[in-house]
Amino acid sequence: MKIASILFPLPLPEPFDYAVPDGMHVEPGSYVRAPLGKIERTGVVWAVKTRAEDDTRDLKPVIDVYPVPAMPEPMRKFVSFAARYNVAHPGHVLAMVLRARGGLKPSPTETVYEPTGYRSNRMTEARVKVLDAAREAGPASAAELARQAGVSPGVVKGLVDIGSLEAREVETDLPYPQPTRFEGGEHLTAEQKTAGDELRRAIAKGGFQPFLLDGITGSGKTEVYFEAIAEALQKANDAQVLVLLPEIALTQAVLARFEARFGAPPAPWHSGLSDAERRRTWRETAHGRARIVIGARSALFLPFCNLKLIIVDEEHDTSFKQEDGVTYHARDMGVMRAKLEDAAIVLASATPALETMVNAEAGRYKRLRLSARPGAARLPDIELVDLRLDPPEKGNWLSPTLSNALVSTFEAGEQSLLFLNRRGYAPLVICKACGERLKSPGTESWLTEHRYTNRLVCHLTGWSMPKPEACPMCGAKDSLMGVGPGVERVAEEVRVLLPQARVEIFSSDTARSGEETRGIVDRMAGGEIDVLIGTQIVAKGHNFPNLTLVGVVDADSGMKGGDLRAGERTYQLLSQVAGRAGRAERPGRALIQTYGPENPAMIALAAGDRDGFLQIERDVRAELMLPPFGRMAALVLSAPTPQLIEEAGRLTGAAAPNGEGVTVYGPAPAPISLLRGRHRIRFLITSPRDVDLSAYMAAWLKGLKLPNPVRISADIDPYSFL
Ligand code: ADP
């Protein structure tokens, strides 16, 4: 008699034992259904044991096994590792794996109709139209055929009755077409070829190997990792490849580029998928039939059968860090997954994260470099504009230098891009009469004025209200005034400067869907926009050949706040934005407005001295023992009242275990000390690199009992310091 220990996608401490009925085949990794309390649930078999003679427990039986290949051992190990490292329940991590439930079942089917070739002599015009449609479109549902022929579905039915059409059941979720084209690297430059060959050799050899593909924007990193993908797919006809990209970069253009190179579209995975697309990608991945999956961070938790290569493109991008639920960093977890799968991993970036550079320098990652853009394209000249010496006119945000550059670029028939990482019209609204700064209710955050919608919006919680006519505090009429610039305000200034120019805004307000995003990108690429004004959404991977001027409106805004990576992030963002210019034959120019041109990040940026910049960052972090030279974790608590949060902070602080080398700071009010009516406090924990900080945090949380409405969450290596 066998016992199956089943892990459920729930925050339970461990897998539970079930009896395996005679004749049922389960193995470690089988996806099964079993009763938990009164409810039947889906789980995964974590272990299979033989029942001991003296085991008299009354075990419930496994109900059934899904017709899906068992989750392979490396994936199960990965789930356990990710849970332990990120201080989460294994069941919580499993829940991320099982995000497309329908994927466990075979594809749904539908009835389609095909012509049999028989034509009776009783053919009406409507019937002829349907038969023509069926011949042209191939097998289709009755509704679809009727729609194409412009007749009622009853006509289709009639054709079936007389034997002219034949019904057939087909699966609606079709397998992905298989990649067919593996050649294509002939056009590579010498430097691209060297890097590509190195990747090909590593993949031909096999085994875990991490690479840093370090190349300036537009140097052909994608072309180079295509070589690695081609090699992996060619080497074994069941090998699978995962490409992780920031969500925002997952555009149709990127998918089309994969399709053009490999002769088949990759399987996509991102938040914009429909349920049907999601279960299709999941099922095809689990069955090993999706050879290339391209997705956002959560694609790392797809159940690949034979994962041989992971690419993390734009590896420095902070969107790889998941902040809610199970907090994890997809790049760091990706390296671990590659290790467990015995696979290669390529981290690609023009501005690698400091962590990644340190790993490369220590020899843990092999570094491949691309130093030039192919052909005539070259990096733009970067100039700093000192706003103290070259100030904008009162009430404006563009310096005379940047304004002049916009005018001459427009007159030359070329495109400009202005970057400002602030949505809306003005980031702050104050009352001229009483000085009140308008805040979001129950949240320590200012409201942003949006002119297009005429609303005041909290960017932290999404709460909004129509802009009031009078100050809500003092009641003064027409006294509310937007302070500071947002993209809408800069657009207004550009429209005055260049009345003939076609100006558009690119932010999460104007690009709310994939379709809208594509629309803006296509119009820009097609030359239908003269000046594009965007938030950080513009920084990611787009190619605009006629773009020759990039202006950064306020380079200093990202440097504020208590974030240890603020300088690094600003550097990365600004050099990515600047790198958008001059991607084809025309030279590009980037103008960066700042009040602090003496700041090391700005000096390095203007000089194109990335490594010099990283060296300064590195020294500071090494000195302070901050990541990656030491470890850090955060513990954030929230509660509905000040009394309760104070009590929770005291209890939590008192429960902190003693750990060699571990320092606990706090509790202190979190920088956002009130969010949606909940008061928030934070502990920061640091330790030397050789301390297992995950284990320390787990031990701390284990013994902790907090009153019910208090919420607590741990974050290993935090990126957000709110
Ligand atoms: P990166 O990923 O480094 O930003 P891409 O791979 O996207 O760079 O390449 C930038 C542009 O240059 C793309 O349009 C690409 O097709 C083109 N390109 C890259 N390498 C070559 C080459 N060897 N010959 C011609 N065009 C190239």
Side-chain angles (χ1 to χ4, degrees):
M1 174 81 170
K2 297 272 186 221
I3 292 177
S5 294
I6 300 176
L7 183 68
F8 292 99
L10 298 165
L12 300 167
E14 58 197 1
F16 291 158
D17 285 352
Y18 288 82
V20 180
D22 285 341
M24 179 185 280
H25 174 76
V26 299
E27 57 184 306
S30 294
Y31 296 87
V32 294
R33 287 182 72 74
L36 191 67
K38 288 193 167 40
I39 302 173
E40 276 180 23
R41 290 190 186 269
T42 299
V44 175
V45 174
W46 229 237
V48 179
K49 304 172 273 197
T50 302
R51 191 165 188 151
E53 297 276 312
D54 57 354
D55 182 351
T56 54
R57 288 177 298 166
D58 180 21
L59 294 178
K60 291 192 177 143
V62 178
I63 298 169
D64 60 13
V65 185
Y66 287 97
V68 179
M71 183 188 283
E73 186 181 7
M75 177 75 189
R76 281 178 278 131
K77 284 192 170 154
F78 177 63
V79 169
S80 301
F81 169 82
R84 207 195 74 79
Y85 184 87
N86 297 299
V87 199
H89 290 287
H92 266 152
V93 178
L94 185 65
M96 298 198 292
V97 177
L98 294 177
R99 276 252 279 267
R101 285 292 171 81
L104 288 166
K105 300 202 183 102
S107 168
T109 58
E110 71 171 352
T111 311
V112 295
Y113 298 89
E114 280 181 300
T116 56
Y118 169 73
R119 287 176 91 99
S120 88
N121 46 14
R122 287 179 295 148
M123 286 307 229
T124 61
E125 195 185 331
R127 285 182 170 183
V128 172
K129 277 193 196 152
V130 169
L131 285 181
D132 287 348
R135 247 195 320 277
E136 260 165 47
S141 67
E144 179 58 23
L145 284 180
R147 195 187 60 77
Q148 289 196 11
V151 303
S152 79
V155 181
V156 177
K157 182 93 185 12
L159 283 164
V160 176
D161 292 343
I162 63 167
S164 291
L165 282 179
E166 183 172 61
R168 191 153 58 86
E169 287 296 298
V170 295
E171 300 193 335
T172 56
D173 301 351
L174 295 177
Y176 285 97
Q178 295 292 303
T180 51
R181 211 176 298 139
F182 304 108
E183 73 286 1
E186 313 76 29
H187 63 290
L188 296 186
T189 63
E191 143 181 281
Q192 290 171 340
K193 187 156 178 9
T194 306
D197 286 348
E198 176 120 21
L199 290 176
R200 277 188 180 268
R201 272 196 302 278
I203 285 159
K205 185 160 146 267
F208 170 61
Q209 285 166 88
F211 288 91
L212 164 60
L213 180 55
D214 172 5
I216 62 170
T217 45
S219 60
K221 294 182 291 298
T222 313
E223 298 293 324
V224 169
Y225 70 63
F226 276 174
E227 292 297 291
I229 296 173
E231 183 71 33
L233 296 179
Q234 227 172 346
K235 188 182 169 207
N237 61 14
D238 61 347
Q240 293 175 293
V241 176
L242 168 63
V243 181
L244 292 178
L245 274 172
E247 172 100 34
I248 189 94
L250 280 166
T251 57
Q252 210 52 43
V254 170
L255 297 177
R257 199 168 162 191
F258 274 77
E259 180 167 0
R261 176 66 162 80
F262 298 104
W269 184 264
H270 53 81
S271 64
L273 292 186
S274 68
D275 286 350
E277 290 167 317
R278 183 170 281 272
R279 67 170 189 246
R280 177 178 177 214
T281 293
W282 198 97
R283 182 187 308 108
E284 295 304 303
T285 306
H287 285 267
R289 295 183 297 241
R291 306 285 310 281
I292 307 176
V293 177
I294 170 163
R297 62 180 180 228
S298 62
L300 188 63
F301 292 91
L302 284 169
F304 291 89
C305 302
N306 188 25
L307 185 58
K308 282 294 165 224
L309 172 64
I310 301 176
I311 312 279
V312 185
D313 201 353
E314 313 280 0
E315 66 86 31
H316 63 277
D317 198 284
T318 48
S319 71
F320 286 122
K321 173 84 186 199
Q322 165 137 321
E323 305 280 2
D324 30 62
V326 178
T327 58
Y328 65 88
H329 197 299
R331 175 196 62 222
D332 301 349
M333 291 296 111
V335 172
M336 196 58 198
R337 178 139 197 208
K339 194 168 188 173
L340 292 167
E341 301 274 357
D342 225 14
I345 179 164
V346 179
L347 312 180
S349 176
T351 50
L354 185 63
E355 282 81 353
T356 304
M357 286 301 262
V358 168
N359 279 326
E361 275 158 24
R364 287 189 283 270
Y365 301 167
K366 178 138 184 66
R367 181 166 171 187
L368 306 172
R369 286 192 208 227
L370 299 177
S371 59
R373 290 182 168 190
R378 58 188 189 87
L379 276 180
D381 295 320
I382 299 178
E383 295 156 49
L384 300 180
V385 177
D386 187 339
L387 288 173
R388 292 168 304 194
L389 305 177
D390 191 7
E393 275 177 42
K394 198 167 161 23
N396 281 356
W397 310 96
L398 305 176
S399 61
T401 305
L402 182 50
S403 301
N404 284 331
L406 281 167
V407 173
S408 51
T409 305
F410 176 66
E411 286 172 354
E414 295 171 357
Q415 293 171 300
S416 304
L417 173 73
L418 292 178
F419 170 74
L420 177 65
N421 209 5
R422 285 210 200 98
R423 290 159 51 206
Y425 186 83
L428 171 66
V429 180
I430 68 173
C431 170
K432 283 183 285 191
C434 71
E436 171 74 6
R437 300 169 168 216
L438 267 55
K439 280 189 194 147
S440 178
T443 299
E444 207 49 45
S445 158
W446 292 332
L447 294 175
T448 295
E449 178 181 0
H450 284 242
R451 281 266 165 107
Y452 286 153
T453 52
N454 200 28
R455 295 182 79 83
L456 306 184
V457 182
C458 171
H459 286 181
L460 213 54
T461 61
W463 184 89
S464 74
M465 66 172 179
K467 186 178 173 189
E469 279 173 15
C471 170
M473 283 307 279
C474 71
K477 279 223 155 199
D478 297 325
S479 68
L480 296 178
M481 176 177 74
V483 179
V487 281
E488 291 179 8
R489 193 170 220 170
V490 172
E492 191 176 84
E493 188 176 335
V494 173
R495 287 192 182 108
V496 172
L497 182 71
L498 294 170
Q500 270 88 47
R502 294 158 300 174
V503 178
E504 282 202 41
I505 291 174
F506 193 11
S507 75
S508 54
D509 297 311
T510 60
R512 283 160 303 192
S513 64
E515 203 176 327
E516 283 183 335
T517 305
R518 274 192 295 284
I520 296 174
V521 171
D522 290 349
R523 283 198 295 284
M524 185 69 182
E528 292 169 47
I529 299 174
D530 298 307
V531 184
L532 186 63
I533 298 154
T535 59
Q536 62 177 352
I537 203 166
V538 303
K540 313 286 162 83
H542 310 294
N543 256 320
F544 302 127
N546 199 33
L547 171 66
T548 56
L549 174 68
V550 166
V552 174
V553 178
D554 177 7
D556 310 324
S557 60
M559 301 295 266
K560 295 167 195 143
D563 181 341
L564 74 97
R565 294 181 181 85
E568 187 189 355
R569 227 180 265 181
T570 300
Y571 184 86
Q572 287 164 345
L573 192 56
L574 297 188
S575 49
Q576 297 277 341
V577 172
R580 294 300 123 217
R583 287 174 73 97
E585 290 73 31
R586 281 172 243 259
R589 183 177 181 207
L591 293 174
I592 297 185
Q593 301 196 135
T594 173
Y595 282 102
E598 64 285 343
N599 183 313
M602 298 301 158
I603 294 172
L605 192 64
D609 181 14
R610 186 198 73 191
D611 292 345
F613 169 77
L614 281 174
Q615 192 56 46
I616 300 168
E617 275 291 305
R618 198 195 148 101
D619 291 347
V620 172
R621 293 225 215 140
E623 171 83 29
L624 300 174
M625 293 281 286
L626 291 171
F629 302 100
R631 293 187 191 279
M632 188 185 256
L635 202 54
V636 174
L637 287 86
S638 70
T641 66
Q643 295 78 9
L644 207 53
I645 198 67
E646 201 189 313
E647 167 75 0
R650 205 181 45 71
L651 287 171
T652 306
N658 281 327
E660 174 99 22
V662 177
T663 311
V664 176
Y665 300 94
I672 304 273
S673 57
L674 184 64
L675 181 61
R676 296 188 175 94
R678 296 182 71 89
H679 299 263
R680 303 169 79 241
I681 56 170
R682 186 184 67 175
F683 292 86
L684 278 180
I685 303 96
T686 61
S687 78
R689 259 193 77 85
D690 57 0
V691 169
D692 184 347
L693 201 52
S694 301
Y696 175 87
M697 298 301 290
W700 187 352
L701 294 182
K702 198 164 182 208
L704 198 58
K705 292 263 173 304
L706 292 173
N708 200 8
V710 176
R711 280 186 224 143
I712 185 163
S713 66
D715 186 356
I716 297 290
D717 198 9
Y719 273 56
S720 158
F721 291 83
L722 299 178

